[in-house]
């Protein structure tokens, strides 16, 4: 039987004034993050808002949650394009920078050193934020009559979700902005896209704050959704 080589990922953490943002290849091993992730997907109101009828609420066991994160995000996104979802937690006071920087990208040995000083299991997880190549993840198969798509760096879907108890504090905005800027600076992303359910005005507001405008594209072929694009690459 062929042996499967696990890809290793560069140590990476994003720090914003209020958040610590950790790639899921690291966060998947944390039971506290898996518990938060599964609770969001078991929440009917959250799922309806985020995914419409495509994805009814699910009750996953801890093993199922790990499997979902592993297959849908790590294998399809991180292993393929070296980007994907990040787990988002409140930044412990001891790590708040002074003066407070908008975004710190911490990599390599500095990141190892930082991670050694934090008990990741004890962080207060609030949600997730991610960027992914929509062409290999969420888009339906293309048909012969469909127009050709631009390169994948121009087809980067932004996604985020925050536990309802943390809504209205700007945390989704703070997290998604950091992940988007990181993907531009470190992965050469050139254009972002997104889809929202028509009723999801809360998410539309978040997108508009970044400079997203309705694109009129029909990539996802879903009449209940609005499609968006953003070519602004300096978010701070
Ligand atoms: C969409 C979702 C992430 C938005 O959450 P949210 O808390 O409303 O968004 P933010 O974290 O950016 O908060 C924005 C609000 O917080 C307020 N706020 C408070 N403090 C703030 C701060 N320091 N900075 C920015 N906004 C702040 C703002 O006034 C803003 O409200 P407004 O836009 O009405 O003025 C959340 O509703 C969610 O998780 N929904 C389910 C998943 C989902 O729909 N995902 C998107 C799929 S397309």
């Amino acid at each position: 039987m062929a042996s499967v080589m696990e890809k290793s990922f560069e140590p990476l953490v994003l720090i914003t004034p209020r958040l610590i943002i950790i790639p899921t290849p690291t966060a998947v091993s944390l039971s506290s993050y898996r518990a938060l992730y599964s609770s969001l997907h078991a929440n009917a109101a959250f799922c309806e808002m985020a995914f419409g009828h495509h994805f009814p609420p699910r009750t996953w066991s801890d093993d199922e949650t790990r499997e979902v994160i592993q297959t849908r995000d790590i294998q399809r996104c991180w292993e393929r394009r070296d980007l994907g979802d990040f787990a988002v937690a409140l930044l412990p006071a001891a790590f708040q920078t002074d003066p407070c920087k908008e975004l710190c990208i911490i990599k390599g040995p500095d990141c190892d050193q930082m991670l050694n000083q934090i008990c990741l299991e004890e962080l207060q997880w609030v949600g997730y934020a991610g960027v992914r190549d929509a062409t290999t993840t969420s888009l339906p198969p293309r048909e012969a009559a469909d127009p050709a798509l631009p390169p994948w760096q121009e087809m980067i879907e932004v996604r985020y979700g925050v536990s309802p108890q943390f809504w209205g504090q700007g945390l989704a905005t703070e997290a998604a902005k950091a992940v988007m800027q990181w993907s531009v600076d470190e992965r050469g992303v050139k254009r972002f896209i997104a889809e929202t359910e028509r009723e999801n005005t809360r998410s539309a507001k978040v997108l508009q704050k970044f400079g997203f405008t309705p694109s009129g594209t029909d990539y996802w072929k879903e009449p209940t959704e609005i499609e968006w694009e953003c070519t602004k690459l300096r978010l701070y």
Side-chain angles (χ1 to χ4, degrees):
M1 199 171 81
S3 70
V4 180
M5 290 282 289
E6 270 197 21
K7 185 173 158 60
S8 65
F9 296 95
E10 173 192 49
L12 171 68
V13 166
L14 309 182
I15 302 287
T16 65
R18 294 179 291 172
L19 299 171
I20 174 164
I21 304 172
I22 294 176
T24 48
T26 300
V28 70
S29 62
L30 304 167
S31 61
S32 55
Y33 176 65
R34 295 195 302 270
L36 180 274
Y37 194 80
S38 76
S39 75
L40 294 180
H41 292 84
N43 179 324
F46 180 94
C47 290
E48 175 68 29
M49 185 175 175
F51 316 117
H53 62 278
H54 310 285
F55 194 95
R58 313 273 165 92
T59 307
W60 293 323
S61 68
D62 185 45
D63 281 346
E64 286 168 333
T65 307
R66 188 199 303 265
E67 186 61 18
V68 165
I69 297 174
Q70 194 68 45
T71 52
R72 293 189 196 168
D73 180 40
I74 298 176
Q75 284 172 12
R76 280 199 311 181
C77 305
W78 284 100
E79 290 184 1
R80 196 152 182 172
R81 302 288 190 213
D82 209 10
L83 44 72
D85 281 353
F86 289 68
V88 179
L90 299 182
L91 182 66
F95 293 93
Q96 281 161 10
T97 54
D98 186 24
C100 195
K101 284 200 193 154
E102 296 259 53
L103 170 63
C104 288
I105 299 175
I106 304 176
K107 302 185 280 190
D110 288 348
C111 183
D112 284 331
Q113 198 182 346
M114 180 180 191
L115 291 176
N116 282 337
Q117 295 168 37
I118 303 178
C119 179
L120 295 178
E121 276 291 7
E122 286 174 12
L123 290 174
Q124 169 69 69
W125 298 103
V126 301
Y128 61 86
V131 280
R132 65 185 181 187
D133 172 2
T135 68
T136 54
T137 54
S138 61
L139 254 54
R142 305 291 289 167
E143 284 159 27
D146 291 336
L149 295 175
W152 69 267
Q153 292 88 345
E154 297 174 33
M155 291 292 293
I156 298 297
E157 181 185 0
V158 177
R159 48 182 249 117
Y160 41 76
V162 164
S163 179
Q165 74 188 99
F166 294 104
W167 289 4
Q169 299 178 35
L171 296 179
T173 305
E174 190 168 319
K177 194 164 149 181
V179 171
M180 288 168 69
Q181 192 64 59
W182 164 82
S183 75
V184 169
D185 294 350
E186 303 280 325
R187 296 293 184 267
V189 166
K190 300 269 187 295
R191 171 176 172 258
F192 296 101
I193 58 174
E195 40 144 356
T196 55
E197 294 299 314
R198 287 191 182 277
E199 307 79 53
N200 196 349
T201 49
R202 215 170 167 122
S203 180
K205 257 185 171 177
V206 172
L207 293 175
Q208 283 165 319
K209 278 191 230 167
F210 299 139
F212 275 85
T213 52
S215 60
T217 50
D218 194 21
Y219 296 140
W220 282 279
K221 302 180 182 182
E222 263 301 334
T224 63
E225 290 169 356
I226 302 174
E227 298 194 4
W228 303 80
E229 69 181 342
C230 172
T231 49
K232 191 173 142 195
L233 303 177
R234 277 289 128 229
L235 295 151
Y236 291 94

